[in-house]
Amino acid sequence: MKLLVVNGPNLNMLGFRDKNVYGSTDYAALCEMLTKKGAELGFEVECYQSNHEGAIIDRLQEALSDGTVGLVINPGAYTHYSYAIHDALEILHFPKVEIHISDVDNREDFRKISVTAPACDVKLAGEGVQGYVHAMEIVKERLK
Ligand code: DQA
C-alpha cells in the first residue's frame, strides 16, 4: 500500500525553524521515522517535499495513477491561501489527512484559516511531528 506524504514550503527546514514551535526533529529524521512507522502499518511511504506550489500540484496529480492509496499532507503556508492545491486535492478520491505540526488554531489569525482542509477528510494540528504518525493511522483506519 503506497502512502504519499507531502510537505510544503519550509518544512525541509525542520530542525532549523523555531524549535519552540516545530520541535527539534529535522526533515531527514522525520522521513526516516515515517518510513519506519508507515511500514509497521503496512505502508510503503514516499516522503515528498517542495517549496513550489506547482510542483506540489504536479505530484498530487501523479498520485492519481501511481498506485497511491492514501495521502498525508502538510501544505505549510500554502494551507492558508492556495486554492490551487485545494482543487488538486479535491480530484483525489482516497483518504487524505491534513496535518500541522504546530497548533495553527492558536497562533496568528492568518494560520487559523485553512483553504486546503475542506478538500481533505481530516485536519490534525498541534501534535508535533507525532501528528504525522496519527495521520497515517487515520488513513489506515479509513482504508478498512
Ligand atoms: C505549519 C503551519 C503553517 O502555518 C506554517 O506556514 C508552516 C508549518 C505546521 O506544520 O504547523 O510552514 O503547516
Side-chain angles (χ1 to χ4, degrees):
M1 292 195 295
K2 196 172 151 80
L3 180 96
L4 178 63
V5 179
V6 172
N7 277 293
N10 299 307
L11 287 153
N12 55 325
M13 290 288 106
L14 285 177
F16 300 96
R17 296 180 83 174
D18 189 343
K19 292 190 172 89
N20 293 322
V21 177
Y22 297 109
S24 55
T25 305
D26 69 18
Y27 181 69
L30 172 68
C31 291
E32 202 180 309
M33 190 258 282
L34 294 182
T35 303
K36 190 168 159 269
K37 296 276 183 192
E40 285 168 22
L41 292 167
F43 291 123
E44 184 195 323
V45 174
E46 178 187 332
C47 273
Y48 176 83
Q49 189 278 330
S50 178
N51 294 322
H52 305 279
E53 186 179 32
I56 292 168
I57 292 164
D58 286 344
R59 185 64 195 87
L60 291 173
Q61 290 180 1
E62 277 169 29
L64 276 169
S65 57
D66 69 357
T68 296
V69 300
L71 175 76
V72 171
I73 183 165
N74 182 346
Y78 285 138
T79 303
H80 313 303
Y81 64 94
S82 177
Y83 294 103
I85 292 178
H86 167 278
D87 287 355
L89 287 166
E90 244 186 356
I91 299 166
L92 302 175
H93 295 292
F94 43 61
K96 295 164 279 184
V97 179
E98 176 169 310
I99 183 257
H100 299 283
I101 298 166
S102 66
D103 186 3
V104 279
D105 296 314
N106 288 297
R107 295 181 63 194
E108 301 97 317
D109 281 349
F110 77 88
R111 295 188 205 274
K112 293 180 183 151
I113 295 160
S114 172
V115 302
T116 48
C120 293
D121 301 300
V122 177
K123 173 186 149 183
L124 297 178
E127 299 178 26
V129 292
Q130 283 305 319
Y132 287 90
V133 177
H134 189 186
M136 291 196 299
E137 288 166 353
I138 291 171
V139 169
K140 173 129 194 222
E141 201 51 45
R142 286 184 168 253
L143 284 169
K144 278 183 189 161

